[in-house]
Amino acid sequence: MKPLILILTLLILSNISYAQEWEIVKIDSTVSVKLPKGFSKTDKDDKYSLVAVSPWGTILIFKTLDDKMSTPDIEKDKHLKKYYDDYIKNVRTVSPGANINDEKDGKLGALKVKDFTLQIDTGSGVLYRNFRLLHASSATYIFEFLYQDLHSEFAVPEKEKFFNSIEVNE
């Protein structure tokens, strides 16, 4: 009986060690998201980024303000679609040999988002880099969740938790 209790205690403690608290982080007055505690933040020269590490993946968030000279009408649907498509084209250009999968348009509330996955064969395994592009309040938000194929069983639910936590108050 004692060995059984000891084994159960070890199993419960190991599960607790994988549990990680997530907290709501306000990127600005428009967008918030839940991140694992212990994230790092950079905010200078109109560039904003957050980096968080979870047990199964890495979370990256970038915010860039619109440049009125290069994106004057980004608020219009056709310009926004072109902007998102150009972003994906640029990712393809800087990631030769990688595949872009699961490209889809979606909505977050009333706002249009673009989701896609960059699949990279690193030679020691496959790395998935999931993106969500969001434009709101004259800024573009890029949400990324990176994980190794080896961790897919645990990383995919965590990725869904992250992307489902994004909230827009516009």
Side-chain angles (χ1 to χ4, degrees):
M1 186 70 168
K2 285 184 182 181
L4 181 61
I5 292 172
L6 180 63
I7 291 171
L8 287 174
T9 303
L10 288 174
L11 285 172
I12 290 170
L13 289 176
S14 67
N15 282 339
I16 290 171
S17 69
Y18 281 114
Q20 187 174 19
E21 283 189 52
W22 290 50
E23 62 182 296
I24 296 173
V25 177
K26 288 185 72 133
I27 296 172
D28 55 24
S29 62
T30 305
V31 178
S32 63
V33 65
K34 285 186 181 175
L35 293 176
K37 288 192 173 191
F39 61 89
S40 62
K41 174 179 161 180
T42 305
D43 189 3
K44 63 179 176 179
D45 300 332
D46 292 335
K47 294 185 189 210
Y48 181 93
S49 66
L50 290 166
V51 178
V53 178
S54 71
W56 307 111
T58 302
I59 295 169
L60 305 171
I61 301 171
F62 303 98
K63 174 189 170 188
T64 31
L65 299 176
D66 288 350
D67 177 3
K68 297 296 180 193
M69 298 302 288
S70 63
T71 55
D73 293 331
I74 197 167
E75 303 294 335
K76 296 180 182 173
D77 283 349
K78 71 177 187 175
H79 295 280
L80 184 61
K81 180 175 176 16
K82 182 180 180 338
Y83 181 76
Y84 286 166
D85 290 343
D86 286 347
Y87 185 88
I88 292 173
K89 194 182 303 180
N90 287 338
V91 169
R92 274 195 179 100
T93 302
V94 298
S95 305
N99 297 320
I100 291 185
N101 302 322
D102 304 324
E103 185 180 332
K104 62 184 174 208
D105 296 316
K107 286 199 158 206
L108 186 60
L111 298 175
K112 294 185 178 189
V113 297
K114 181 73 136 185
D115 293 335
F116 65 97
T117 301
L118 181 68
Q119 181 181 339
I120 306 163
D121 188 347
T122 63
S124 61
V126 176
L127 174 71
Y128 293 101
R129 191 168 185 167
N130 297 272
F131 289 80
R132 173 164 290 165
L133 308 177
L134 165 68
H135 185 271
S137 299
S138 299
T140 300
Y141 303 82
I142 302 163
F143 301 91
E144 300 181 35
F145 189 91
L146 295 73
Y147 65 94
Q148 294 285 337
D149 185 45
L150 176 67
H151 302 138
S152 291
E153 180 181 346
F154 302 106
V156 170
E158 199 170 75
K159 172 191 77 162
E160 294 301 321
K161 177 180 181 177
F162 166 62
F163 283 120
N164 289 333
S165 76
I166 300 169
E167 291 186 7
V168 178
N169 304 312
E170 191 173 53

